[in-house]
């Protein structure tokens, strides 16, 4: 494919190409999920989350549900960042009330003993083809993966944690073994994102949900460097693919992250002052964010005021409106409507 954008009418792709829009395009992280009654209904019909991801017809439906209800400017593929460990041979279970569990944990089990099973990703590519075939040319289709560091924290500890202590300790204690894990994730993620792009996504987002707990040198080594390698390898195969980086919790380090990873746009979490971001990030560089998911949950005047602040701060820059992190399952649907009315006028 040449330089010509596939969907010249899609506002979100225009923003990613550096063109500011009068009204920013909007989507919400985790928009395909449990705050939607139609999602809960679809989910109930399945034995678990993975069977839903692996049923490409149902996963395509879950991807499209928020588009049909709210007309967001982007559809995000219904899958999960943890399908990469699954494809690398770990077992994956979503335990009710406890979150995801991966076994065996790589803190005490050698990566080389896992048997790779990349075919586990095939249903996801089929989901992409199904969604791409029905989406309007105005709606951007986003693929995604986790960033190597965040995926590694789950592979090493076997579960999520507040401070990623198990993984941060391993990265200091045995950087050699940890590098091998990071490299394996990069290779598998490269195939996964390429597969999504070849099946029809228009842009991709890298979720680095746990980027915020690393010390400065470790941030360079395990967030910036692996992300830069992944971005560069992906661009060798797909030179025109826009890439949104979302290093949650990276604070002022987003400047180095942007400069060194060469992502196309940056996702900002809700702790970042949008006026600071607008002043200190490179002129014209596209940003995405950064409404607090808790103010969307709460609604009222606080919601309106927070939206106004973000719109004002980014009024002179290419901006995609989004949350600073995923929408919370208890969020009232009326608050999402309020948000869209306020942004779209
Ligand atoms: O954004 C979207 O709507 C697309 C789909 C999507 C899911 N997970 C579906 C999902 C995306 C982009 C993700 C990303 C993801 N998954 C991240 C990065 C973003 C973030 O929130 O930090 C992370 C860390 C995960 C790992 C993960 N998956 C956890 C911690 C959980 C369990 C916690 C929970 O919410 O139950 C999941 C499961 C999951 N992934 C659900 C959904 C809709 C809920 C599972 C269910 O319906 O039972």
């Amino acid at each position: 494919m040449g330089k010509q954008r596939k969907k010249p009418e899609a506002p979100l792709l225009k923003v990613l190409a550096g063109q500011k829009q009068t009204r920013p395009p909007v989507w919400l992280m985790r928009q395909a999920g449990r705050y939607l009654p139609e999602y809960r209904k679809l989910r109930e019909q399945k034995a678990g989350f993975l069977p839903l991801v692996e049923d490409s017809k149902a996963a395509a439906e879950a991807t499209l549900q928020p588009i049909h209800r709210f007309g967001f400017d982007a559809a995000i593929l219904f899958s999960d960042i943890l399908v990469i460990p699954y494809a690398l041979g770990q077992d994956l279970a979503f335990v009710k009330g406890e979150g995801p569990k991966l076994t065996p944990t790589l803190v005490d089990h050698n990566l080389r003993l896992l048997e790779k099973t990349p075919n586990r990703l095939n249903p996801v590519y089929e989901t992409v083809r199904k969604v791409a075939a029905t989406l309007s040319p105005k709606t951007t289709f986003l693929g995604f993966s986790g960033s190597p560091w965040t995926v590694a924290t789950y592979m090493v500890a076997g579960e999520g944690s507040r401070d990623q202590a198990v993984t941060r300790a391993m990265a200091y204690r045995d950087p050699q073994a940890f590098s091998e894990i990071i490299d394996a994730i990069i290779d598998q993620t490269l195939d996964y994102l390429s597969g999504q792009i070849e099946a029809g996504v228009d842009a991709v987002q890298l979720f680095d949900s746990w980027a915020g707990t690393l010390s400065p040198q470790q941030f360079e080594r395990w967030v910036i460097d692996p992300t830069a390698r992944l971005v560069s390898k992906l661009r060798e195969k797909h030179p025109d693919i826009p890439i949104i980086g979302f290093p949650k919790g990276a604070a002022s380090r987003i400047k180095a992250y942007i400069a060194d990873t060469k992502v196309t746009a940056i996702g900002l979490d809700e702790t970042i002052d949008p006026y600071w971001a607008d002043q200190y990030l490179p002129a014209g560089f596209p940003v995405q964010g950064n409404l607090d998911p808790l103010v969307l949950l709460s609604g009222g005047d606080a919601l309106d005021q927070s939206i106004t602040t973000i719109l004002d701060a980014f009024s002179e820059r290419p901006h995609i409106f989004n949350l600073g992190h995923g929408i919370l399952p208890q969020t009232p649907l009326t608050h999402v409507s309020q948000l869209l009315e306020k942004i779209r006028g």
Side-chain angles (χ1 to χ4, degrees):
M1 238 177 287
K3 279 271 170 220
Q4 187 73 33
R5 266 201 315 278
K6 237 176 18 169
K7 291 180 176 171
E9 294 309 312
L12 193 144
L13 289 176
K14 289 188 196 175
V15 171
L16 291 176
Q19 298 160 23
K20 175 177 112 55
Q21 305 295 295
T22 318
R23 305 245 170 227
V26 53
W27 69 283
L28 303 179
M29 288 188 274
R30 302 296 286 269
Q31 68 188 18
R34 284 171 301 186
Y35 74 109
L36 289 176
E38 57 271 34
Y39 172 79
R40 294 194 298 267
K41 191 162 168 230
L42 187 66
R43 175 72 173 72
E44 263 170 29
Q45 295 161 12
K46 297 283 166 188
F49 174 72
L50 261 188
L52 179 49
V53 170
E54 288 169 337
D55 176 346
S56 60
K57 192 164 167 277
E61 192 182 332
T63 305
L64 292 168
Q65 281 174 343
I67 308 307
H68 292 153
R69 182 184 276 270
F70 292 119
F72 291 120
D73 292 283
I76 182 159
L77 169 65
F78 188 80
S79 177
D80 196 83
I81 66 165
L82 300 181
V83 298
I84 292 295
Y86 191 49
L88 287 172
Q90 280 182 309
D91 281 328
L92 172 58
F94 287 87
V95 183
K96 217 176 166 155
E98 285 184 55
K101 302 279 179 206
L102 289 162
T103 44
T105 58
L106 296 187
V107 65
D108 50 16
H109 190 94
N110 197 309
L111 172 74
R112 292 180 205 173
L113 300 174
L114 297 179
E115 194 187 330
K116 287 189 190 150
T117 49
N119 288 347
R120 286 173 164 176
L121 299 174
N122 290 346
V124 181
Y125 308 133
E126 185 52 32
T127 304
V128 174
R129 282 188 285 272
K130 284 192 160 65
V131 173
T134 69
L135 220 50
S136 137
K138 290 196 167 164
T139 311
T140 298
F141 190 9
L142 293 175
F144 74 95
S145 72
S147 288
W149 163 256
T150 286
V151 174
T153 66
Y154 285 95
M155 292 190 78
V156 169
E159 60 191 7
S161 69
R162 205 169 282 278
D163 60 1
Q164 297 77 55
V166 173
T167 310
R168 289 193 289 127
M170 179 185 181
Y172 282 118
R173 189 175 64 240
D174 195 347
Q176 186 52 43
F178 190 65
S179 294
E180 282 182 32
I181 296 171
I182 289 282
D183 291 349
I185 296 169
I186 291 176
D187 288 347
Q188 186 56 67
T189 303
L190 181 65
D191 283 357
Y192 184 47
L193 291 175
S194 297
Q196 293 178 29
I197 295 163
E198 282 149 27
V201 303
D202 304 312
V204 297
Q205 172 154 321
L206 305 176
F207 284 88
D208 216 340
S209 307
W210 301 123
T213 51
L214 291 164
S215 66
Q217 277 152 5
Q218 297 293 88
F219 185 85
E220 284 277 337
R221 183 163 184 189
W222 304 120
V223 170
I224 290 185
D225 176 74
T227 304
R229 284 191 281 145
L230 178 59
V231 167
S232 135
K233 287 182 184 195
L234 193 59
R235 292 239 173 88
E236 274 171 32
K237 289 180 144 188
H238 302 282
D240 300 326
I241 191 76
I243 304 170
I244 306 168
F246 175 53
K248 184 174 165 345
S252 59
R253 296 181 286 195
I254 55 176
K255 287 188 74 171
Y257 177 96
I258 290 170
D260 297 346
T261 65
K262 312 255 184 318
V263 290
T264 313
I266 187 89
L268 307 173
D269 67 63
E270 69 274 14
T271 65
I272 293 186
D273 178 347
Y275 292 102
W276 174 86
D278 187 54
Q279 187 172 354
Y280 287 101
L281 298 185
F285 192 80
V287 297
Q288 173 175 281
N290 69 340
L291 189 78
D292 189 341
L294 280 165
V295 81
L296 184 62
L297 177 81
S298 307
D301 288 347
L303 175 56
D304 283 337
Q305 280 162 22
S306 299
I307 296 167
T308 303
T309 300
I310 293 166
L311 292 175
D312 180 60
F314 295 133
S315 60
E316 296 304 322
R317 153 185 307 273
H319 174 218
I320 299 163
F321 202 100
N322 204 322
L323 297 170
H325 197 194
I327 185 168
L328 297 161
Q330 311 83 347
T331 306
L333 298 171
T334 51
H335 295 181
V336 179
S337 307
Q338 182 185 339
L339 167 88
L340 290 171
E341 276 162 31
K342 180 94 184 155
I343 294 170
R344 292 175 172 166

